[in-house]
Amino acid sequence: MKTTALITNDQVQKQDLEESEALSLLSSTQSIIKEAIQKLGFSSDMYELLKEPLRILTVRIPVRMDDGSYQIFTGYRSQHNDSVGPTKGGVRFHPEVTEEEVKALSIWMSLKCGITNLPYGGGKGGIICDPRNMSFGELERLSRGYVRAISQIVGPTKDIPAPDVYTNSQIMAWMMDEFSCLREFDSPGFITGKPIVLGGSQGRETATARGVVISIEEAAKKRGIDLQGARIVIQGFGNAGSFLAKFMHETGAKVIGISDAYGALYDPEGLNIDYLLDRRDSFGTVTNLFTNVITNQELLVKECDILVPAAISNQITAQNAHDIKASIVVEAANGPTTLEATKILDERGILLVPDILASAGGVIVSYFEWVQNNQGYYWSEEEVAEKLRKIMVDSFKTIYETSQAHQVDMRLAAYMVGIRKPAEASRFRGWV
Ligand code: GLU
């Protein structure tokens, strides 16, 4: 009894912590949006409009589990602003999903689409579940149930979902199939990140990592760092982190640190990336095969040239920002650096490429996928890669120049560039 009570208390405390972290993600996003809107000269009404999503739907999804029992899952779909066009953004399956987090993530999608000049507003979805403990059949029933629950507010010209944390092309395929059955016509443009045979795009699976590589290249040029032999630490070995490790290793950089949810590996001489990629499981876990494991927090402050947080939010904080040794930090995860830490890194002269720019490769190629679905004509991998590079390089340049011109850090510059489009579109529509 005593143990059960203890576990329950721990769980309550953990939940409180998650909720307050998500709240702080939302409130820090709002405070930067406020500053960006003021700097751009929009009215305070514009801030009132853009500080929260226009719409958020909470759904309860009953799923029959393999053992015959029923479990009711909670899911969300948040649509931040659809003045520019349909909303767009991924769906995450994670035990720590909260409504506040989904709201903040949908605002970030508006910013990402604004920065990269895509004809979308931001959306995001999430389901509170742990896919690591669910069977294929249970995941399929959950994915289909979610689509049925949100079907009224989504669609190829309304709101277009995509993969995110712990969701993949198989889940997108089930969701697309369910939506097509509901609408009674084939709807590939309802969702992106699909398998190629169902209208997926070449290069979508690796797009986020490719975008991060381009951000690293552009940032390295600004700091005069030669990527040949440059020492890189990557926190996280999921979709973005593992492909990034592979691509950086192939370009001749030295990947000296990686991590998963359970720990980190560090070797100043460089890790055996091919071996690690070969042994990682589908959730990006690999450190369980080793004994010389350090913690994620220890990894972040190791000596290196480029640090890439590619895992979860709130990793670089006021507590460790003074100890970061890298000269460039490129955020491949959503929200890995707190506001206080951003200021500290900026004061220390560390170049920080913010998440809404560095991780935009995924939604850019999702846009290409949707365009290809709409026109029914498919592009080569080279064509996708070339178009992705152009958007990433142009976006980096615009944000870097904005940060120089306004003497602000790269994050505020990215918010200024990102929020301008939904703000102008909302104003033209006469909303405020
Ligand atoms: N979930 C990804 C993101 O956060 C991709 C979204 C998309 O492809 O629409 O950017």
Side-chain angles (χ1 to χ4, degrees):
M1 269 317 276
K2 208 169 171 195
T3 325
T4 316
L6 268 179
I7 290 170
T8 310
N9 273 343
D10 278 359
Q11 282 172 341
V12 169
Q13 271 174 13
K14 191 162 170 271
Q15 199 178 351
D16 284 352
L17 196 71
E18 279 154 18
E19 272 166 19
S20 69
E21 274 183 4
L23 262 177
S24 78
L25 279 187
L26 182 62
S27 59
S28 60
T29 303
Q30 289 171 331
S31 77
I32 318 174
I33 287 187
K34 192 172 202 168
E35 216 178 328
I37 281 180
Q38 278 166 355
K39 283 212 179 290
L40 292 169
F42 288 103
S43 67
S44 57
D45 294 337
M46 190 61 81
Y47 171 67
E48 285 305 311
L49 175 71
L50 295 174
K51 72 176 188 187
E52 289 269 341
L54 287 177
R55 196 174 297 114
I56 174 149
L57 182 65
T58 303
V59 295
R60 303 263 288 146
I61 313 151
V63 174
R64 186 171 35 78
M65 306 306 278
D66 290 347
D67 64 3
S69 68
Y70 281 85
Q71 211 167 308
I72 318 294
F73 293 89
T74 300
Y76 307 98
R77 185 72 193 171
S78 170
Q79 299 174 342
H80 173 240
N81 183 284
D82 55 9
S83 59
V84 171
T87 44
K88 178 93 192 80
V91 182
R92 60 176 54 184
F93 283 11
H94 199 274
E96 280 150 33
V97 162
T98 66
E99 183 177 335
E100 295 301 317
E101 181 194 50
V102 175
K103 278 186 180 181
L105 289 163
S106 71
I107 300 177
W108 292 349
M109 287 310 301
S110 281
L111 296 164
K112 282 191 204 186
C113 296
I115 286 171
T116 50
N117 208 13
L118 306 183
Y120 296 134
K124 197 72 158 205
I127 303 179
I128 307 170
C129 66
D130 193 346
R132 290 166 294 194
N133 300 325
M134 292 173 72
S135 72
F136 230 55
E138 290 166 346
L139 279 173
E140 176 175 355
R141 293 190 286 279
L142 178 62
S143 305
R144 290 181 183 278
Y146 178 68
V147 170
R148 285 195 300 276
I150 63 164
S151 70
Q152 289 306 312
I153 65 160
V154 290
T157 54
K158 262 188 183 174
D159 180 13
I160 305 133
D164 200 86
V165 175
Y166 291 160
T167 51
N168 55 23
S169 58
Q170 174 62 77
I171 292 177
M172 300 305 111
W174 290 323
M175 290 189 174
M176 192 274 266
D177 184 64
E178 190 65 27
F179 190 81
S180 298
C181 292
L182 286 172
R183 290 289 188 272
E184 297 183 344
F185 52 80
D186 196 36
S187 310
F190 154 65
I191 202 162
T192 59
K194 301 178 293 293
I196 304 272
V197 288
L198 292 182
S201 176
Q202 298 290 343
R204 175 62 186 85
E205 207 190 352
T206 54
T208 307
R210 291 270 181 219
V212 179
V213 172
I214 298 165
S215 301
I216 293 175
E217 287 169 357
E218 295 305 299
K221 279 186 214 157
K222 298 286 176 212
R223 284 295 144 101
I225 294 178
D226 183 0
L227 286 180
Q228 289 297 317
R231 297 161 310 155
I232 304 199
V233 165
I234 302 169
Q235 186 203 20
F237 213 51
N239 174 284
S242 62
F243 279 120
L244 178 65
K246 176 174 151 63
F247 297 150
M248 294 315 294
H249 177 63
E250 283 168 2
T251 59
K254 210 195 271 182
V255 181
I256 59 172
I258 64 107
S259 76
D260 59 27
Y262 307 99
L265 303 172
Y266 177 77
D267 182 347
E269 296 310 315
L271 295 165
N272 184 345
I273 295 302
D274 293 330
Y275 177 77
L276 296 172
L277 290 170
D278 193 47
R279 301 303 302 271
R280 78 187 270 280
D281 72 12
S282 59
F283 295 102
T285 309
V286 75
T287 60
N288 53 346
L289 305 171
F290 297 84
T291 49
N292 53 338
V293 176
I294 60 172
T295 66
N296 268 274
Q297 283 304 314
E298 284 166 335
L299 181 70
L300 292 173
V301 297
K302 288 282 185 195
E303 202 66 58
C304 64
D305 300 306
I306 299 162
L307 172 64
V308 185
I312 48 172
S313 54
N314 291 323
Q315 295 302 293
I316 306 178
T317 64
Q319 271 71 52
N320 61 5
H322 285 288
D323 304 319
I324 301 287
K325 314 282 187 311
S327 41
I328 297 173
V329 173
V330 179
E331 296 182 326
N334 286 309
T337 315
T338 64
L339 265 189
E340 298 87 334
T342 302
K343 289 213 161 50
I344 298 169
L345 296 183
D346 194 47
E347 277 158 20
R348 294 186 54 217
I350 296 172
L351 177 59
L352 180 134
V353 185
D355 47 7
I356 52 175
L357 168 61
S359 71
V363 70
I364 295 171
V365 178
S366 271
Y367 165 61
F368 297 161
E369 182 172 330
W370 180 76
V371 169
Q372 293 170 78
N373 293 152
N374 291 344
Q375 63 185 8
Y377 177 69
Y378 288 84
W379 311 346
S380 68
E381 195 168 354
E382 292 71 35
E383 203 170 344
V384 169
E386 193 187 310
K387 289 186 159 80
L388 168 65
R389 172 167 291 279
K390 177 161 174 32
I391 297 184
M392 285 302 299
V393 170
D394 288 352
S395 306
F396 187 99
K397 186 166 178 280
T398 309
I399 291 170
Y400 190 80
E401 286 172 1
T402 304
S403 91
Q404 300 284 302
H406 290 263
Q407 286 297 300
V408 296
D409 62 50
M410 288 279 280
R411 191 183 310 283
L412 181 52
Y415 271 64
M416 288 169 67
V417 175
I419 207 71
R420 182 193 287 270
K421 209 172 162 189
E424 282 183 353
S426 299
R427 195 173 55 188
F428 273 122
R429 280 179 187 266
W431 290 355
V432 284

